[in-house]
Amino acid sequence: MTWMLTWKNASGPTPVDGSVLRPDQLGGLEHDAVCKTLMTIGRVTRPLGELFDITGEPCAGDPHQHELCLANLPRLDRLGAGMERGKLLITGDVGDDLGASMTGGLIRVNGNVGSRVGGPDFDSPRGMTGGEIVISGNAEHHVGHLMRRGMIIVGGTCGKSPGFRMLAGTIVIACGPLDHPGLEMQRGTVICLDGIGAESNGDHLCDAGSIAATAMPAIGMSVRRATHLLSSSSKVSYEGEACLWHGDRFELNKGEVIQWP
Amino acid sequence: MKIHDVTIEDNFAEAFRMWACRLIVTAIDEHWLRIAASEVTGYGTSVIGCDAEAGIERWLEPDATPDGRPGVALLFFAFNAKALKTAMPNRLGQCLMTCPTTAVFDGMAHAVSPQSQSATPTQASKDFERFDFGNAIRYFGDGHQKSKVIQGVEGAEGTNAQRVWRIPVMDGEFTVSDTIDACKAIGGGNLLICGKDQRAALDAAAAAVKSIADMPNVITPFPGGVVRSGSKVGSRYKALFASTNDAYCPTLRGKVASQLSDDTGAVYEIVINGLTEEDIARAMYTCIASACESKNIVAIDAGNYGGKLGKFHFRLHDVMTNEGAA
């Protein structure tokens, strides 16, 4: 099912936590059930039907195809937290902890997001363990905090330390410079499609110098996937030299930070 | 039956159940890609003496490959999945990892075959088996190897997420799929091209092989796709289970019971391995149609073992009447 929820801007307190809005939980429900699903606002709960205009279209039975489209939202935190499958499509700006501890599916934001995208939910020692998050605008601090698998793509800039304490997975940031990318990372890959600005970046990375882009097809594949999700193009260019750093050298030092040409 | 004055014998090709796997190999440019394809499919004509029957399925545009570089799809056949499980990591390590700039991916998910249309074949299915591929050679990285789960793009091979290993080597990284899937397939579809002389038969055979160069899901594993030493079951020597197909040997006419007409001077066989019966029938039709366009071809025949060894029979008349359709 494809559900479209548009915030009504009704009177009363504004919610902060958007975690109930999950395509894998709402996608299989009928219209009535979606309207009756409760959203927590502070100490009270209100049904979604009061807060959103809800329209929908049936789609193929495959739960991986369930979509939830959100528009006109207040700045909600924990959208897509714990999500397992389906697509969450958000128009507008989003708060913190987008996709916290998600395990699968796709989150696409046509706007800017807050801190700790793909980071850990409050009952988890790990961030996202699967799925993809695509942000057309900018992200704030600690993109991919403690992420374990999956891909996060930021079409704009990001705040402090993308890949902070990351365990594995891939982060692609379109616009540089990056402030201490991969700080305390164990494994994982942070790719910048722009200049990283390495001069200002502290001691945690070991400079491995430059390497021909075509020498790292796996990074090319990641860049291609990121470009495809951001712009639908399926082309990747292997022209030029990438710059490579290992990190964090005070941790496992199996991570990498790459400036793709 | 005659097509353009070429007699299509009322005979059938006898083919066997085999197992196949499919690789996508990419490289920096066509030169190194050709070298990689040629090396890894080398010594791969017949499982009688080789560890696999191997060939180039078709060349791929960069946009169609998992990593966006020029690529080629290769098919490998063996009697069972266990034989492939041994052969493939060997070929990977000796022929592909050694070759400059290559990357290697599992191509089975995108094979154009009804069996493989499901998103991910499961271990439990009896039509597929998954086995270690890159996972078997990752230790070459001596602890510096890394893996990543990467998803491809729609419209290209490798759309489904797969785990790849990245092994540091002297020119960068060798990227290879963690595992590959083998599926049930068929080997031994064939046709015999009987020409007035060696040149005519040879040119017709080469043209026929060329006509299926881009056809999906099939390979012709013998040299240039053509066999000159077709065999029959049995031999006067107890140690040999196969020997020269004397009924089709032109220099033995008059000495043995020959299948050759008076005006046939030479015979070449094209052996076709494919993923399904439909794939092989389509390839045989195209090859025969091509051979019938060539000059000085007398007849098209097919090789079989009396029908008792292989369970897949391709009657030439049926193949031509149905135009290669099922």
Side-chain angles (χ1 to χ4, degrees):
Chain A
M1 199 68 196
T2 299
W3 289 116
M4 280 148 296
L5 270 59
T6 311
W7 175 251
K8 278 188 201 176
N9 223 353
S11 62
T14 308
V16 169
D17 186 313
S19 56
V20 72
L21 302 169
R22 273 172 56 170
D24 47 343
Q25 291 185 338
L26 298 182
L29 299 180
E30 294 300 323
H31 188 270
D32 270 351
V34 177
C35 290
K36 286 186 185 146
T37 303
L38 296 173
M39 189 168 195
T40 306
I41 305 174
R43 277 195 232 127
V44 303
T45 58
R46 286 172 76 187
L48 292 181
E50 273 184 34
L51 302 167
F52 294 90
D53 286 322
I54 301 177
T55 55
E57 293 161 10
C59 71
D62 177 7
H64 293 275
Q65 300 300 322
H66 288 316
E67 281 184 27
L68 188 61
C69 305
L70 306 175
N72 205 24
L73 296 175
R75 221 179 122 94
L76 293 176
D77 294 341
R78 292 187 70 229
L79 280 165
M83 189 171 132
E84 292 170 8
R85 65 191 75 85
K87 295 182 189 174
L88 180 59
L89 310 168
I90 304 163
T91 310
D93 289 349
V94 161
D96 297 335
D97 299 303
L98 175 69
S101 297
M102 71 187 280
T103 62
L106 171 72
I107 300 178
R108 187 185 279 281
V109 176
N110 194 359
N112 303 313
V113 307
S115 294
R116 294 182 306 281
V117 178
D121 214 358
F122 35 59
D123 57 354
S124 174
R126 290 199 163 92
M128 67 192 284
T129 55
E132 294 171 304
I133 303 177
V134 187
I135 298 148
S136 71
N138 306 323
E140 288 182 24
H141 309 306
H142 300 154
V143 172
H145 179 210
L146 286 167
M147 81 184 280
R148 177 60 184 87
R149 195 177 293 122
M151 186 178 262
I152 301 173
I153 300 149
V154 178
T157 59
C158 66
K160 290 188 197 161
S161 193
F164 179 59
R165 294 190 176 161
M166 84 189 285
L167 302 171
T170 312
I171 298 172
V172 181
I173 314 279
C175 300
L178 302 185
D179 179 354
H180 291 77
L183 190 63
E184 297 183 35
M185 76 192 318
Q186 303 293 335
R187 292 180 165 88
T189 308
V190 177
I191 301 169
C192 189
L193 303 181
D194 193 4
I196 282 184
E199 313 74 40
S200 55
N201 257 318
D203 289 333
H204 67 291
L205 298 176
C206 315
D207 191 348
S210 48
I211 182 152
T214 191
M216 293 191 290
I219 304 303
M221 287 166 78
S222 303
V223 169
R224 189 187 195 205
R225 180 72 185 165
T227 319
H228 180 73
L229 287 171
L230 278 174
S231 70
S232 300
S233 156
S234 65
K235 293 207 179 298
V236 58
S237 164
Y238 284 96
E239 302 281 320
E241 303 263 304
C243 300
L244 173 64
W245 292 265
H246 302 298
D248 179 321
R249 68 190 181 95
F250 300 110
E251 302 292 332
L252 206 50
N253 204 19
K254 291 195 169 198
E256 56 195 354
V257 175
I258 294 168
Q259 179 178 297
W260 188 256
Chain B
M1 178 191 272
K2 268 187 183 277
I3 299 178
H4 295 323
D5 288 339
V6 177
T7 306
I8 312 295
E9 300 289 356
D10 190 9
N11 207 348
F12 66 96
E14 186 171 346
F16 301 84
R17 165 64 72 213
M18 296 184 88
W19 281 70
C21 60
R22 185 169 183 266
L23 297 186
I24 311 285
V25 177
T26 63
I28 192 173
D29 59 28
E30 199 184 303
H31 172 77
W32 291 103
L33 190 60
R34 285 188 182 276
I35 289 170
S38 158
E39 284 291 335
V40 75
T41 57
Y43 195 56
T45 55
S46 165
V47 289
I48 290 174
C50 309
D51 66 355
E53 295 178 5
I56 293 171
E57 185 209 318
R58 58 200 161 108
W59 301 94
L60 300 171
E61 290 297 314
D63 282 350
T65 61
D67 63 358
R69 302 189 310 157
V72 63
L74 308 170
L75 284 171
F76 299 81
F77 291 75
F79 271 134
N80 48 50
K82 188 167 168 230
L84 284 175
K85 188 175 168 174
T86 312
M88 296 309 297
N90 282 340
R91 286 178 181 260
L92 173 69
Q94 302 307 308
C95 307
L96 289 176
M97 186 167 73
T98 52
C99 183
T101 78
T102 58
V104 188
F105 305 97
D106 182 12
M108 186 52 73
H110 245 86
V112 184
S113 156
Q115 287 168 304
S116 62
Q117 286 301 317
S118 60
T120 320
T122 61
Q123 199 69 17
S125 160
K126 53 182 170 47
D127 288 341
F128 284 92
E129 271 194 42
R130 178 163 293 164
F131 55 88
D132 285 346
F133 188 54
N135 199 27
I137 68 159
R138 60 178 160 109
Y139 303 99
F140 185 72
D142 204 22
H144 302 293
Q145 65 273 15
K146 293 177 178 175
S147 87
K148 207 169 253 319
V149 177
I150 309 185
Q151 190 137 352
V153 300
E154 280 85 36
E157 309 246 0
T159 304
N160 296 331
Q162 55 175 317
R163 178 178 294 282
V164 298
W165 284 97
R166 302 158 55 195
I167 302 169
V169 285
M170 299 196 305
D171 73 351
E173 289 183 342
F174 176 53
T175 306
V176 52
S177 284
D178 181 42
T179 57
I180 56 176
D181 287 324
C183 75
K184 285 186 179 172
I186 301 167
N190 69 78
L191 53 138
L192 299 169
I193 298 179
C194 307
K196 286 200 173 132
D197 54 49
Q198 189 188 52
R199 186 82 249 168
L202 189 58
D203 289 348
V209 169
K210 194 170 171 193
S211 74
I212 60 169
D214 290 330
M215 193 170 280
N217 302 343
V218 293
I219 57 163
T220 51
F222 283 91
V226 185
V227 199
R228 58 100 84 89
S229 56
S231 57
K232 67 172 186 293
V233 172
S235 165
R236 70 168 53 214
Y237 304 106
K238 290 198 184 100
L240 295 182
F241 58 79
S243 58
T244 192
N245 201 349
D246 45 1
Y248 289 90
C249 291
T251 63
L252 296 179
R253 241 195 305 242
K255 250 175 115 174
V256 301
S258 180
Q259 290 288 336
L260 301 177
S261 64
D262 288 340
D263 48 353
T264 301
V267 182
Y268 285 107
E269 179 178 2
I270 298 177
V271 171
I272 300 168
N273 291 359
L275 296 187
T276 64
E277 287 178 81
E278 291 78 14
D279 295 322
I280 294 185
R282 191 188 320 122
M284 283 178 65
Y285 169 76
T286 308
C287 282
I288 294 170
S290 164
C292 292
E293 301 274 331
S294 296
K295 289 194 284 222
N296 294 324
I297 301 303
V298 176
I300 306 290
D301 206 339
N304 59 66
Y305 312 96
K308 299 193 188 84
L309 288 184
K311 73 177 194 181
F312 302 99
H313 300 168
F314 298 90
R315 297 215 74 90
L316 294 182
H317 285 194
D318 291 344
V319 166
M320 298 317 288
T321 311
N322 296 335
E323 294 183 2

